Amino acid sequence: MNNNSKILWVDDEIDLLESHIIYLEEKGYSVSKVNSGEDAIEFCKNNHVDLILLDEMMTGIDGMTTLKEIKDINQDIPVIMVTKNEEECFMEEALSEKISYYLTKPVNPSQILMACKKVLDTKQISSDKLIKDFLDFIKNIQTKNYNNLDINDWKTLFHELCEWSLKIDEINNVDFKKILADEKDIINNNFSKYIPGIYKYWLDNKDDRPILSSDIFSKCLKPIIDNKKLIFIIIDCFRLDQWKQISSLFKDNYEIKEDIHVSILPTATPFARNSIFSGLMPLELKNKYNELWKKMFLEKKYNGYEDELFKNILNENNYSNKSFHYEKISHHEEGKKFYNKLNNYKNVDVLSIVVNFVDILGHSRSESEILKELIPNESAYRLAVYNWFKNSWLKDCLLEFSNWEADIIITSDHGNTIVSKPSKVKADNTVSQGVRYKYGRNLNVNQKDIFKIENPEKYLLPSFDVNTQYIIAKENKFLVYHNQFNKYANLLKNSFQHGGISLDEMFVPLIHLKTK
C-alpha cells in the first residue's frame, strides 16, 4: 500500500480535527482540508484526490449535496461519509450515491486510519486489475491482423478504444496515455487503408453496409415515427468518447442503446448533415434539389435549409399529417430560451434540434491561446464537453424529455481529430478552404497523405465543373497550400479538425434513449 495517497477532509469544523489530521500525516498520507462543500467541489475540479472524508452536516450545502456534485466531477473518487445520522433511509440514500464507507460520530484517529486503509487498499486492488486488463488489451490489439477486420470488428475496436481512453484518465498515468495514443495512431493508419478500399462498395450496396449518414432517416428515425413521438438531436462534431463521458448523467432516467453510424466522406457538416436531413447522398441531393444545392454551395449557405430538407423527406414518407418543429441552437441564450418554452413542443410529433456548441468549442480552441492551455489534448476536450453538458440547457431538456412520451435519437454529423502533420497542396484559386479535405481543380499533394477522388460522381459527390476532384486527408494529416505553408503549418498544428478519414471523424455516436 502506497501511503502517499492524497486525502481531502471536508468539515465545517475542520480546525477541531487537527489532531486527527496530524495522525494521518504521521502515517504518510497527504491531507488537504476545506471547511465547506462549495470549497470541496472547487478543490476536486482542480486537484487530484484519492479519497474524501466528508462530514454529512455542514453549513452551506450539506454533505449529501456535496457528494452528488463531486460524483458528477469524478464518479470514481471514493468517499467516506462521517455522520451522526444512523437512520436507515439516510444510509440507503448515501449508499445509492456510491459512498465507499461511513463512520458514525464521534470518531477517533485510529478509526479514521483503518477506514482510509480499507478503502484505499480496495482502490489499489481495482487499480492493479485495471492496469493488468489494459496491458492485456494492448497485447491483444498488437497481434491483430487488420486486413481481416470487417466493419463490425472496427466498430467493436473503436468502442474499446474510447472506453480505455476514459479508464486511463481515471488512473492518470502519463505512460499509459502515451501507449494508448501510439496504438491508436497505428490503428488509424490501418483504418485509413481500410476505408478507401471499402467505401465505394458501401455506396453501391445499400443492403450490405453500416448505417451511413444518408441511412439514418430510413433505418433509425422512420421506425420510431411510425409508432411514437420522436426527438431527434444532432450535436455538431460530437465524438463517441465524449458521449461515453457524459452518458452516466442519463442512466437513471433512460434505457440507453449505444451504437455507431458512419459519417459519409468528406466528414464535414455541408455534406454529412445535409445527407442526414435529406436521406440523400450529396450528388443525389444536388440532382433532386438543384436550386437548394446552388444556394448551399454557390452562395455558401451550407446548412441553411435543413428544416426544408427534413420536411421534404417527412412528406415523401407520408408523414405530412405529423407535426414538426426544427430548432438550431448555437449559443447559451438561445438554448435557455428554447428550454423556457419547452412545453410548447410537448405534443409535436417530430422535434429536431441541432446543437452547435461542441463544434464551436473545437474551432474556438484553434483561435484562442487560453483555450489551447485549458484544452491541450483529447482528454481535456472530453472533460470540457462533460463540464458544459452537465450544467447545460441541453441536459435540462433531456431530463424534462424523460417525462414525455417520446423516444430520443442523439447523433452527430461527424467527429473530429487532432492533426499534427502538414501536407503541402498545390492548387489554383478555385479550390475550397477545408483543412482536412478540399475540392476543386488540379489538386497536387502527396498521395500517401490523402484519399483522392478523381471521379466524384462514382462516389455520389457533386462536381462543380468538369474537372472537379476531391482530396481527403488520412490519419493526422492536414492540408496546407504550398505558398502559405510555414504560416499555416504552425498555426493549425495540434488543432481539432474534421473532414478527413479517421476513426474519431467517421465513427459517430448513434444513441437511442427510451424513458424508463
Side-chain angles (χ1 to χ4, degrees), residues 11 24 63-64 115 129 177 184 238 283 293 339 348 356-357 370 375 417 427-428 432 442 477 485 490 494-495 500 516:
D11 195 303
L24 286 176
M64 192 61 68
K129 184 178 186 307
K177 287 183 178 181
K184 189 173 178 181
F238 190 44
L283 177 61
W293 183 85
Y339 175 73
V348 170
N356 284 333
F357 172 80
I370 293 174
I375 309 174
T417 192
D428 61 32
S432 64
N442 303 318
K477 310 299 193 305
F485 185 80
N490 293 325
N494 296 324
S495 64
K516 283 187 173 180

Side-chain angles (χ1 to χ4, degrees), residues 16-72:
L16 302 179
L17 298 168
E18 194 62 32
S19 61
H20 295 60
I21 292 169
I22 291 171
Y23 184 75
L24 286 176
E25 290 176 336
E26 287 174 347
K27 298 298 180 181
Y29 296 104
S30 172
V31 184
S32 299
K33 51 190 180 180
V34 294
N35 60 10
S36 72
E38 292 89 345
D39 288 346
I41 293 163
E42 195 61 31
F43 188 93
C44 290
K45 286 180 180 177
N46 299 303
N47 298 277
H48 171 71
V49 178
D50 294 305
L51 172 65
I52 296 173
L53 290 162
L54 179 61
D55 185 28
E56 184 242 328
M57 293 294 293
M58 296 186 291
T59 54
I61 63 173
D62 62 19
M64 192 61 68
T65 304
T66 303
L67 172 64
K68 291 175 182 177
E69 291 285 335
I70 287 171
K71 288 294 185 176
D72 276 347

Side-chain angles (χ1 to χ4, degrees), residues 460-507:
L460 300 182
L461 290 169
S463 292
F464 295 83
D465 59 39
V466 293
N467 297 311
T468 298
Q469 302 172 329
Y470 287 74
I471 54 173
I472 302 171
K474 299 177 181 178
E475 304 174 69
N476 56 2
K477 310 299 193 305
F478 62 101
L479 306 172
V480 183
Y481 292 123
H482 73 287
N483 58 342
Q484 300 173 312
F485 185 80
N486 290 332
K487 175 183 176 181
Y488 286 100
N490 293 325
L491 182 66
L492 294 170
K493 187 174 182 180
N494 296 324
S495 64
F496 286 94
Q497 301 292 339
H498 56 78
I501 298 174
S502 72
L503 286 161
D504 284 308
E505 289 166 289
M506 291 194 72
F507 278 8

Side-chain angles (χ1 to χ4, degrees), residues 218-381:
S218 61
K219 293 187 177 180
C220 303
L221 307 188
K222 192 174 185 296
I224 296 173
I225 299 171
D226 284 335
N227 299 289
K228 295 187 74 173
K229 289 181 170 60
L230 168 70
I231 300 168
F232 180 43
I233 302 172
I234 293 182
I235 304 174
D236 192 1
C237 213
F238 190 44
R239 293 170 30 149
L240 184 63
D241 60 332
Q242 294 164 356
W243 162 255
K244 288 181 181 289
Q245 184 89 55
I246 69 171
S247 61
S248 61
L249 298 173
F250 305 107
K251 63 183 180 181
D252 292 336
N253 299 87
Y254 292 102
E255 295 176 5
I256 301 173
K257 182 181 177 183
E258 195 175 271
D259 201 352
I260 285 171
H261 88 261
V262 180
S263 175
I264 62 167
L265 297 176
T267 52
T269 301
F271 295 90
R273 205 157 83 202
N274 284 322
S275 182
I276 291 172
F277 278 112
S278 66
L280 301 169
M281 293 296 291
L283 177 61
E284 296 170 333
L285 192 153
K286 177 188 177 185
N287 292 338
K288 187 170 185 176
Y289 302 114
N290 189 251
E291 291 306 312
L292 275 185
W293 183 85
K294 287 178 181 177
K295 291 176 183 177
M296 291 174 190
F297 281 89
L298 303 185
E299 297 178 18
K300 301 190 185 305
K301 297 176 182 177
Y302 296 117
N303 293 92
Y305 303 96
E306 293 167 349
D307 55 340
E308 188 171 340
L309 292 172
F310 206 21
K311 283 179 187 175
N312 288 343
I313 197 171
L314 287 169
N315 291 336
E316 289 167 7
N317 283 270
N318 300 315
Y319 294 134
S320 55
N321 62 326
K322 301 281 187 180
S323 55
F324 167 68
H325 180 77
Y326 167 91
E327 195 90 22
K328 183 184 290 184
I329 300 170
S330 299
H331 304 291
H332 173 75
E333 287 305 314
E334 294 174 350
K336 291 299 291 184
K337 286 179 182 178
F338 175 71
Y339 175 73
N340 289 335
K341 59 183 181 181
L342 207 55
N343 281 336
N344 293 347
Y345 311 120
K346 191 168 186 177
N347 294 315
V348 170
D349 294 310
V350 181
L351 175 59
S352 179
I353 309 164
V354 174
V355 182
N356 284 333
F357 172 80
V358 178
D359 184 54
I360 291 170
L361 178 63
H363 287 300
S364 298
R365 177 191 177 275
S366 301
E367 300 162 4
S368 167
E369 292 303 320
I370 293 174
L371 283 178
K372 286 177 185 177
E373 289 284 337
L374 290 172
I375 309 174
N377 51 40
E378 291 179 338
S379 176
Y381 193 19

Side-chain angles (χ1 to χ4, degrees), residues 136-153:
D136 287 344
F137 168 71
I138 294 298
K139 182 178 179 180
N140 177 260
I141 61 175
Q142 287 176 338
T143 61
K144 280 190 183 297
N145 183 346
Y146 292 100
N147 294 326
N148 293 337
L149 300 190
D150 63 18
I151 184 59
N152 291 320
D153 296 325

